[in-house]
Amino acid sequence: MSTIVYMSVSALLSVTTALAIVVRIIANPLSNVFQKQLTAQAAHPLFITTTTFGFLSLLCLIFSLPLHLLSLSPAFWTIMLTVGLLSAAGNALLVKALQLGDLSVLGPINAYKSVVSIILGIALLGEVPGWLGIAGVLCIIAGSYFVLDAGATGQWSWALLHQPEIRYRLAALVCTATEAVFIKKAVLLSSPTIAFVFWCTLGFIVSLLWVAVALRHQWRQQLALVATHRRTYLLLFLSVGLMQLSTNFAFEGIQVGYALALFQLSAVLSVLFGYRFFQETHIRRKLLGAFIMVAGAVLITLAP
């Protein structure tokens, strides 16, 4: 039986894709930890997003010359401009949500991202999931129920949607799920590396313009915080860079909806990190939900 499972997984995931998924699963919750730590020190979510894109853009300058950028199609540039807008908005909303809410709750909410991306993937990419894959996604959503209702009452309620951190997280989810589909299109038209370069640079341009308008009176104190907490900022930059680059390589080898569902394995780490770094509560119930989500991810790896 184990041999059959191994062969099924091997048929679906190449070594590169599998490695990219593992890196993404680890890097994403780590970046959330650093983002939440910085907002606790009065760093503004939009400024955190802008400095992250800015640092990564500087790194990309080293690699951009040999990428044959002038040979890219007009469709690629249109897609990447859309990605830049969605990425800047999605990341700023995510950091704002982390500023207000628990990492152990907001991380697993990302499970719904795979549903949005599957719908968009069918419409824009022609990626139709199989029944086993759909079952895995539904399992992941079911697991997220146990995470979401692990509040003080132990009961799920529509009142959760009135909590600002939940609304910010859901808005970020819609932006980033849509962004993921467009990134997949960009990867198909170029390469994971080229798509990453423009994810960084266009995201930086858009968010910098946003900062110039929204934070024109705060940028000096925000820069001072970068100097004070430079170690945390550096760790954030590296974790976000690894997260997005690994995402692009994963998209190259697997359907967007399946990839985003597999990324939800990071829900277990989000719960554990929330407990370890921020003393968040109801960890047992949240872990139960996270492991149900893991079971869903296993179903997806077995899908044809």
Side-chain angles (χ1 to χ4, degrees), residues 252-284:
E252 190 177 36
I254 189 173
Q255 289 189 19
V256 170
Y258 286 176
L260 293 180
L262 285 170
F263 294 163
Q264 302 320 308
L265 292 172
S266 64
V268 179
L269 292 180
S270 292
V271 172
L272 293 175
F273 288 166
Y275 174 74
R276 169 63 179 81
F277 293 104
F278 307 109
Q279 293 75 53
E280 295 171 3
T281 58
H282 304 287
I283 297 303
R284 289 184 180 178

Side-chain angles (χ1 to χ4, degrees), residues 7 9-10 24 50 66 71 85 92 95-96 134 140 166 183 193-196 262 294 302:
M7 292 177 64
V9 174
S10 298
R24 172 58 163 73
T50 304
S71 64
L85 293 169
V95 178
K96 181 64 177 179
I134 292 175
I140 287 173
I166 300 296
I183 287 177
T193 307
I194 290 176
F196 175 74
L262 285 170
V294 170
L302 300 177

Side-chain angles (χ1 to χ4, degrees), residues 183-215:
I183 287 177
K184 174 66 179 277
K185 290 175 70 72
V187 168
L188 294 175
L189 290 172
S190 56
S191 72
T193 307
I194 290 176
F196 175 74
V197 168
F198 284 98
W199 179 83
C200 297
T201 54
L202 292 176
F204 175 59
I205 292 170
V206 171
S207 57
L208 184 62
L209 292 173
W210 194 355
V211 161
V213 174
L215 300 180

Side-chain angles (χ1 to χ4, degrees), residues 13-70:
L13 302 176
S14 68
V15 173
T16 301
T17 303
L19 179 60
I21 290 172
V22 171
V23 171
R24 172 58 163 73
I25 288 169
I26 297 172
N28 184 57
L30 279 175
S31 68
N32 292 161
V33 168
F34 302 135
Q35 288 165 335
K36 189 170 179 63
Q37 287 177 337
L38 288 170
T39 58
Q41 301 299 323
H44 194 282
L46 181 55
F47 195 83
I48 292 173
T49 300
T50 304
T51 53
T52 302
F53 281 131
F55 179 85
L56 294 175
S57 297
L58 289 176
L59 289 184
C60 287
L61 289 176
I62 302 173
F63 305 102
S64 61
L65 292 179
L67 294 180
H68 308 290
L69 303 182
L70 296 179

